[in-house]
Amino acid sequence: MNLHDVLNRAIENNRKWCSKGNVATYIPELSKANPCALGVSLCTWDGKIITAGDCDTPFTLQSISKICSLILALQDNGREKVFSKVGMEPTGDPFNSIVKLETLEPSPPLNPMINAGAIAVTSLIKGSDVDERLERLLTLIRAMADNNQIDVDWEVYTSERETGNRNRAMAYFLKDIGIIDGQVEEALDLYFKQCAIKITCQDLARMGLTLATQGIGPCGEIIIDPAIAKLAKTFMVTCGMYNASGEFAIRVGIPAKSGVSGSILAAVPHRMGIGVIGPSLDKKGNSIAGVHLLEELSREMKLSIF
Ligand code: GLU
């Protein structure tokens, strides 16, 4: 099987879906993305990168960063502390939903992949100030992607900070009920910055491979504790594709995490990492063409873990 051909065909077959969705607009800077773009990169077990489509288009990590902040928070605090602040269950609600924070008892956010849970997790990252915490997060992401150039897109960060009122509301609520211990504004600032980290499909594919190898980076060094890499992939299966995670598990069957930039990080255990960009989103916030493309790749290359 020629992987170049498989990827090129998948781009050709699925580009039509781009016109069926919409680019995210609630973060104004994201509305500038090209709705017709579709790109994919695959990083094979031996570290080889194969790309097709618009894979040089840079974009921001958005919710995909939640995987990285979870890894760092677990490394810093251990499981017991992290899971005293956030649960392990899928919600069935949209990623930015606020409703269960007050109606459920006990009250911690249901999982680290929804915004409330992710902000709680981000507040656990250690460092003397936001700059140091961000630098630690960037160090992890750069190592996973084997790319020292990765940095924050400051325009997207500013856009998000200026409009992120729903996230701000959730964070203050979490402070009120004792889930966030430190400074709320610092947790929010780091959260907005992590969401605005700029990458490409190639970076995502290498990050996916790092998770697929249970934490061994592109250069062969151990970057993530294997138990934490396993846990991150498990959350990707149960909650990684918003409230479409069940359908995605059936249609595609690969641990994956999406972001509202239209990006998807996928990790096929013991085989490969995949990065996808397609800014046009379906109703649940996943890249509409990206999900169809992954469905085709999964079928063609028999990638489902189930
Ligand atoms: N920065 C986005 C937000 O907090 C992330 C959401 C996402 O990608 O799902 O709204």
Side-chain angles (χ1 to χ4, degrees):
M1 179 186 303
N2 182 320
L3 291 179
H4 277 115
D5 293 347
V6 174
L7 293 194
N8 282 326
R9 214 166 36 237
I11 292 281
E12 244 170 68
N13 291 345
N14 294 292
R15 212 185 267 280
K16 60 177 184 273
W17 291 104
C18 295
S19 63
K20 308 265 189 264
N22 293 294
V23 167
T25 53
Y26 75 98
I27 300 171
E29 201 59 27
L30 294 187
S31 66
K32 296 181 181 165
N34 174 9
C36 306
L38 183 63
V40 60
S41 281
L42 199 146
C43 187
T44 54
W45 199 244
D46 51 3
K48 207 166 119 211
I49 289 271
I50 302 149
T51 57
D54 307 301
C55 54
D56 292 324
T57 313
F59 49 88
T60 49
L61 274 177
Q62 297 300 332
S63 265
I64 294 175
S65 68
K66 294 169 181 172
I67 293 292
C68 309
S69 50
L70 175 66
I71 290 169
L72 198 51
L74 283 164
Q75 282 178 185
D76 281 355
N77 302 276
R79 277 188 196 213
E80 204 181 319
K81 170 87 191 240
V82 171
F83 293 115
S84 70
K85 302 287 187 186
V86 66
M88 300 182 186
E89 299 301 334
T91 67
D93 295 326
F95 64 95
N96 57 359
S97 177
I98 217 160
V99 63
K100 290 208 170 105
L101 282 182
E102 201 181 17
T103 55
L104 277 189
E105 260 318 313
S107 48
L110 277 167
N111 69 67
M113 299 296 117
I114 52 171
N115 285 9
I119 295 168
V121 165
T122 292
S123 77
L124 294 170
I125 292 174
K126 299 218 160 119
S128 55
D129 54 18
V130 175
D131 283 351
E132 190 182 320
R133 286 172 221 147
L134 175 66
E135 209 44 49
R136 294 188 60 234
L137 195 55
L138 281 169
T139 301
L140 171 68
I141 292 168
R142 287 169 183 155
M144 288 174 77
D146 190 25
N147 179 358
N148 278 332
Q149 304 301 314
I150 292 175
D151 214 330
V152 173
D153 179 325
W154 296 104
E155 265 118 52
V156 173
Y157 158 68
T158 306
S159 182
E160 185 147 0
R161 192 193 55 202
E162 283 171 357
T163 56
N165 294 317
R166 185 182 276 254
N167 287 329
R168 205 164 269 116
M170 282 189 263
Y172 275 95
F173 187 87
L174 294 173
K175 176 73 185 173
D176 188 60
I177 60 174
I179 298 291
I180 292 182
D181 293 324
Q183 297 285 328
V184 189
E185 285 300 331
E186 288 194 358
L188 277 167
D189 196 39
L190 183 56
Y191 175 77
F192 293 143
K193 284 175 176 151
Q194 73 177 57
C195 288
I197 291 170
K198 189 159 77 173
I199 32 109
T200 63
C201 281
Q202 287 87 317
D203 297 324
L204 275 189
R206 289 201 183 92
M207 290 167 73
L209 185 67
T210 301
L211 290 167
T213 57
Q214 219 71 306
I216 299 168
C219 300
E221 73 286 21
I222 296 171
I223 293 174
I224 305 166
D225 178 291
I228 295 180
K230 185 172 163 187
L231 191 150
K233 279 193 299 243
T234 313
F235 272 120
M236 287 161 79
V237 171
T238 55
C239 323
M241 301 298 286
Y242 306 120
N243 45 336
S245 299
E247 188 183 337
F248 187 85
I250 288 169
R251 281 171 55 192
V252 182
I254 304 173
K257 179 75 201 89
S258 61
V260 287
S261 49
S263 46
I264 305 176
L265 161 77
V268 188
H270 312 296
R271 288 187 65 182
M272 64 181 72
I274 307 173
V276 177
I277 182 65
S280 180
L281 307 179
D282 63 21
K283 293 247 159 16
K284 295 195 170 165
N286 292 311
S287 169
I288 188 162
V291 169
H292 280 94
L293 181 141
L294 283 172
E295 188 176 10
E296 179 170 328
L297 293 187
S298 176
R299 195 176 51 240
E300 291 287 309
M301 295 191 269
K302 302 195 175 25
L303 300 179
S304 173
I305 62 168
F306 299 107

